Amino acid sequence: MKLVLIGSPGAGKGTQAKVLSKSLAIAHISTGDLLRNEMNLKTEIGLKITDMMNNGELVPTEIVCELLVKRIKEKDCGNGYILDGFPRNVEQAEMLEDITGSLDRVVYINVADDIIVERMSGRRSCQTCGQMYHVKYNSPMIDGICDNCNTVLIQRPDDSEETVKHRLSVFRTATAPVISYYKDKGLLLEVDGTGAINEISNQMLNLLGAAVEN
Ligand code: AP5
């Protein structure tokens, strides 16, 4: 199964992709995580993209595609995957067809902008295992420490209020047209991303189950 999750920054793509990936036994591919990994390792790519990432700008498509193509060849992707953060514009959506062939479904997680800013300011991430938390809605068992691997949690540099507002405007300009692109292809499912995390996961699994049966 090949799925795409689309949503504004902080809509819950990463949170839901982790749940769906376990439930459906398919890989979770986050292009944001692939890029942050390059930054953390200070590779040539990582050094090139640091300012763009921290300022909430899109990284050039050829760089993202290079990492994505490499990741899709890994063994755990054999059963399928959920793409989280790709495609980010119509150019990438067109390129994705060459990279993966046809997709099964695209799920748009719809969340209003005012909720996003609160979510992002409370987000904490684990740089070791990638697990995400929220200080209020999804807190770790021990404050500031990852439940999975005991790493100290960090706040992402691009989660400042000003950068989040810029990322939302990049989403509206560059990524929102991708929603219509997939709607026209009959692939789009939409969920309201403002309920409890497990309720949204259940809704997504039900919608996907029904869509695949039809
Ligand atoms: P990326 O890492 O993809 O960031 P993003 O799309 O901005 O999305 P986020 O990871 O910030 O949010 P999310 O939707 O995953 O929400 P989450 O589940 O964490 O990209 C970062 C950067 O990389 C980009 O700005 C760009 O520079 C570059 N990049 C990446 N892909 C690219 C591409 N294809 N092309 C070019 N450049 C690219 O949830 C957010 C918070 O809310 C968490 O704290 C979570 O616990 C909480 N939460 C989640 N769901 C709920 C809920 N239902 N109720 C309450 N709280 C919730």
Side-chain angles (χ1 to χ4, degrees):
M1 187 179 246
K2 294 174 202 160
L3 302 175
V4 164
L5 293 190
I6 296 187
S8 51
K13 301 180 297 296
T15 302
Q16 295 301 336
K18 284 184 171 53
V19 177
L20 294 188
S21 131
K22 268 192 198 148
S23 302
L24 302 170
I26 54 180
H28 168 202
I29 304 179
S30 155
T31 46
D33 286 348
L34 294 177
L35 293 163
R36 276 185 290 278
N37 187 43
E38 297 292 317
M39 279 168 56
N40 294 339
L41 296 173
K42 295 192 169 39
T43 62
E44 198 180 322
I45 288 180
L47 295 173
K48 209 186 276 180
I49 64 175
T50 298
D51 285 348
M52 296 175 220
M53 296 275 293
N54 288 347
N55 294 328
E57 300 295 347
L58 292 184
V59 167
T61 293
E62 59 274 18
I63 293 181
V64 187
C65 283
E66 183 187 328
L67 298 174
L68 179 64
V69 167
K70 205 163 130 198
R71 174 69 184 91
I72 282 175
K73 287 184 185 148
E74 287 175 25
K75 210 174 161 190
D76 67 321
C77 293
N79 212 20
Y81 37 83
I82 304 176
L83 295 177
D84 153 15
F86 193 99
R88 268 323 218 263
N89 54 33
V90 172
E91 180 203 12
Q92 291 186 3
E94 287 167 352
M95 289 181 82
L96 185 59
E97 283 164 17
D98 296 334
I99 296 171
T100 65
S102 59
L103 295 167
D104 291 288
R105 282 293 179 274
V106 175
V107 184
Y108 168 44
I109 308 177
N110 190 353
V111 178
D113 286 5
D114 51 341
I115 296 174
I116 293 294
V117 177
E118 192 208 357
R119 279 193 188 176
M120 305 300 255
S121 58
R123 172 165 58 184
R124 300 291 180 270
S125 327
C126 176
Q127 277 187 298
T128 305
C129 72
Q131 183 63 44
M132 248 113 37
Y133 299 89
H134 190 279
V135 290
K136 191 164 150 196
Y137 302 115
N138 182 21
S139 54
M141 285 184 287
I142 301 169
D143 194 24
I145 303 291
C146 180
D147 293 347
N148 296 339
C149 61
N150 286 330
T151 302
V152 174
L153 301 175
I154 58 137
Q155 185 165 24
R156 269 171 45 178
D158 58 346
D159 277 352
S160 71
E161 189 171 336
E162 198 189 328
T163 310
V164 168
K165 285 184 178 159
H166 180 63
R167 287 162 63 198
L168 284 168
S169 95
V170 171
F171 176 79
R172 276 191 293 271
T173 318
T175 313
V178 178
I179 299 168
S180 313
Y181 177 88
Y182 285 124
K183 197 171 187 181
D184 292 347
K185 288 186 176 283
L187 289 173
L188 195 79
L189 302 170
E190 180 171 337
V191 290
D192 175 359
T194 52
I197 291 170
N198 65 333
E199 284 169 12
I200 298 166
S201 315
N202 289 339
Q203 203 191 332
M204 287 169 99
L205 285 166
N206 288 339
L207 278 174
L208 284 167
V212 168
E213 271 172 30
N214 286 330

